[in-house]
Amino acid sequence: MPNILLTRIDNRLIHGQVATQWTSSIGANLLLVANDDVASNTFRQGLMDMAAPSYAQTRYWSVQKTIDTIHKASDAQKIFIVCENPQDVLKLVEGGVPI
């Protein structure tokens, strides 16, 4: 089972508060943005990479890729999922992501 520490709905996705407060306080080492638009937008990914803390990896996956892949996560990955809207979170839950 993937080690999902927190799932947050925030239309800004990765930004200062997520990077400096949430990620460190929960001890996450992987920020996973689950959003179809961001998964294919390298410009937005680059902006969020600049805000992400250096100690955490980032992944930008579509909602379906998250559903298909999250169960392969290593136990060492402490995952913080960030979604842009409640609809994406609902799709994750309906797809079996153990939030």
Side-chain angles (χ1 to χ4, degrees):
M1 170 131 63
N3 190 6
I4 299 170
L5 302 177
L6 180 68
T7 301
R8 178 178 169 87
I9 300 170
D10 189 327
N11 67 337
R12 299 168 293 174
L13 299 171
I14 298 175
H15 57 87
Q17 184 179 2
V18 166
T20 62
Q21 301 298 314
W22 286 99
T23 304
S24 64
S25 68
I26 64 171
N29 60 15
L30 175 64
L31 288 165
L32 171 57
V33 174
N35 180 269
D36 294 342
D37 294 329
V38 172
S40 62
N41 188 327
T42 56
F43 179 74
R44 285 184 73 187
Q45 292 174 19
L47 292 174
M48 286 185 271
D49 281 341
M50 286 190 277
S54 61
Y55 57 84
Q57 296 180 332
T58 55
R59 299 286 185 275
Y60 304 98
W61 290 351
S62 68
V63 172
Q64 189 60 52
K65 182 174 180 174
T66 303
I67 291 167
D68 295 341
T69 309
I70 195 75
H71 296 286
K72 297 176 185 177
S74 162
D75 289 339
Q77 291 176 309
K78 295 175 172 76
I79 305 169
F80 180 8
I81 298 176
V82 185
C83 294
E84 192 170 41
N85 56 62
Q87 294 82 5
D88 286 348
V89 175
L90 179 60
K91 289 177 191 173
L92 293 176
V93 170
E94 290 174 343
V97 175
I99 296 174

